[in-house]
Amino acid sequence: MPFSYFHGNSATIDLVRSMLARDRMPHAVIIAGPEASGKYMLAQMIAKAMNCQNPSLTGEPDFCGQCENCREIAEADDLEARFAEAVETRDGLRETDKKETRILVQSHPDVLIIPPDPPQMMIKVDQVRHVIGQIYKKPRKGDHAVYIFTDSAFMKEAANSLLKILEEPPEFATIFLLTTNPGEFLPTIRSRCITVQLAPLSVAEIEDYLTKRRPEWNATTRGLVARLCGGACGKAATFDLERYSAARKDALTLLGSAVNSDDHSPLFRMTETYRAGAEGKEKTDQLLRASYSVLEDLLFLKEGSPKLVRNSDILPELNRLAAGVDFQWITSAAARLHEVESGMRRNVLRSLSLDALATGLEK
């Protein structure tokens, strides 16, 4: 799929193609944007354009998507599947080998993807050291070597090791650093990169995209998802409205119990369903995201901007909740949600943590 397949952010795509046309792609590029906004897709597209064996003859840099290089690089387009395969392969190793093995994804010899390594889900120093061992070797099949770090969560030693590469990069290699927030990188790393920004798309742009990608959805559903996805096409196309609605119902129970504290039994029945394990973590993540979304809408309502409300299908419920809180309560609730997130990383009992959040916010 050529660059024209990338939906929205046309100015950014034009900038990228201009750099490719002048053979001036920097050695280090931060691609920043909302979650699921297409950061990884764009990095993969650039990798294909840099190594395509049949580039466009129209005068604008592009890639054919059919040559051997394009096809091999495209095998890693589905990063989630390739990541799962890599983790499964590591899990099958002996314990001694497993401890020494880091997760890397590579479907083409000149394009290496470095995702966060589980269970901490951070970029680790051994992953960066692997890049250091490879980056000064000339490309084997293409014209350019590409290294894609898919997250900005670097362990301290890993970030310092990356800085060493950025200080003396080879001319035939480009490093891409993907992030939702460039500020998470060390200032010394940011100063050695250019930043390419993917802005959130408007509700109208997302609705237009969904009309083509999800024609089975009716206009009401497309409009609601367009508001809820945060301006990210990738998130919009795969949005599970049923799961989100269930998490949002729990979020309203959680926050509502804090405002109307006469009866906590609905809260305790709800939080009791948030168990340990991977499934419980995912469910809690969904609840926290839905809770943040509700709090943001409460802020819009308190400041008199109902048109900005994302959860527009439950506006009456939001209005009732907003009538019972003030700005200070909303700020405090957001801070306590962050504490719950931190507690999850320390394996604090989830149901107890959620109960404490609600009772701690009682008015």
Side-chain angles (χ1 to χ4, degrees):
M1 297 177 182
F3 280 111
S4 59
Y5 182 79
F6 198 94
H7 190 84
N9 281 284
S10 57
T12 298
I13 299 302
D14 289 344
L15 171 64
V16 167
R17 298 181 80 174
S18 173
M19 289 189 290
L20 288 169
R22 293 181 286 116
D23 195 24
R24 296 295 299 273
M25 183 60 63
H27 69 272
V29 181
I30 294 173
I31 301 181
E35 180 186 354
S37 58
K39 299 183 292 294
Y40 179 72
M41 176 189 289
L42 179 56
Q44 281 282 93
M45 285 180 163
I46 296 172
K48 293 169 192 173
M50 285 177 149
N51 291 292
C52 181
Q53 295 162 319
N54 301 305
S56 172
L57 300 178
T58 63
E60 291 190 52
D62 218 321
F63 54 96
C64 69
Q66 302 298 321
C67 69
E68 183 178 2
N69 281 346
C70 282
R71 285 187 285 107
E72 286 188 9
I73 296 170
E75 288 176 17
D77 282 352
D78 188 348
L79 180 59
E80 185 175 343
R82 302 291 82 77
F83 176 82
E85 291 170 359
V87 172
E88 184 179 0
T89 299
R90 183 171 72 177
D91 287 345
L93 299 176
R94 296 180 304 173
E95 285 301 319
T96 52
D97 295 333
K98 191 184 301 185
K99 293 178 181 178
E100 301 298 323
T101 302
R102 293 289 168 253
I103 299 301
L104 300 163
V105 174
Q106 188 164 31
S107 60
H108 184 282
D110 302 324
V111 181
L112 180 67
I113 295 105
I114 307 95
D117 191 89
Q120 296 91 346
M121 296 308 292
M122 298 185 74
I123 306 294
K124 297 176 181 175
V125 66
D126 287 343
Q127 292 173 292
V128 179
R129 285 172 179 164
H130 182 86
V131 173
I132 293 173
Q134 298 294 318
I135 197 168
Y136 296 102
K137 299 176 182 178
K138 289 189 175 182
R140 287 186 281 168
K141 291 186 66 174
D143 296 324
H144 217 84
V146 174
Y147 298 84
I148 304 172
F149 289 88
T150 67
D151 201 282
S152 54
F154 278 71
M155 287 188 164
K156 184 176 180 180
E157 191 177 356
N160 290 333
S161 294
L162 176 65
L163 186 58
K164 296 175 184 177
I165 306 175
L166 300 180
E167 288 172 346
E168 297 180 4
E171 60 180 14
F172 48 78
T174 295
I175 296 172
F176 290 98
L177 304 172
L178 313 187
T179 183
T180 57
N181 177 16
E184 293 181 353
F185 292 116
L186 294 173
T188 45
I189 288 178
R190 295 199 306 271
S191 67
R192 288 165 171 79
C193 306
I194 72 151
T195 298
V196 172
Q197 185 73 46
L198 294 177
L201 303 187
S202 68
V203 171
E205 287 177 301
I206 296 291
E207 285 191 271
D208 178 62
Y209 172 77
L210 290 175
T211 299
K212 302 168 185 174
R213 289 296 301 275
R214 300 304 298 261
E216 72 277 15
W217 288 355
N218 60 38
T220 300
T221 299
R222 289 196 297 268
L224 180 58
V225 170
R227 286 181 170 274
L228 293 172
C229 71
C233 282
K235 189 174 182 180
T238 58
F239 200 90
D240 189 332
L241 189 56
E242 183 177 354
R243 177 180 291 186
Y244 174 79
S245 297
R248 186 179 62 185
K249 181 180 178 181
D250 285 353
L252 290 170
T253 298
L254 181 70
L255 299 174
S257 293
V259 177
N260 305 301
S261 55
D262 293 339
D263 182 9
H264 285 315
S265 55
L267 169 68
F268 296 149
R269 285 195 298 270
M270 182 272 288
T271 58
E272 186 63 24
T273 66
Y274 285 77
R275 302 293 187 177
E279 185 176 342
K281 180 183 182 303
E282 183 178 352
K283 185 176 180 180
T284 307
D285 286 340
Q286 289 274 348
L287 170 64
L288 294 175
R289 284 195 289 268
S291 298
Y292 279 124
S293 179
V294 169
L295 289 177
E296 183 180 45
D297 283 347
L298 293 181
L299 280 175
F300 291 144
L301 291 174
K302 297 300 291 185
E303 68 177 15
S305 303
K307 290 184 178 180
L308 296 178
V309 169
R310 291 183 179 178
N311 294 279
S312 54
D313 58 320
I314 58 166
L315 187 57
E317 293 175 75
L318 293 174
N319 276 318
R320 285 194 293 271
L321 188 57
V325 300
D326 54 23
F327 286 108
Q328 184 177 356
W329 184 92
I330 296 172
T331 302
S332 180
R336 287 184 175 270
L337 283 175
H338 180 70
E339 290 175 4
V340 173
E341 287 183 289
S342 299
M344 285 177 60
R345 289 192 287 270
R346 300 192 304 272
N347 293 319
V348 173
L349 187 63
R350 293 182 185 121
S351 59
L352 181 61
S353 181
L354 295 172
D355 290 340
L357 183 150
T359 54
L361 287 172
E362 287 183 3
K363 293 177 66 62

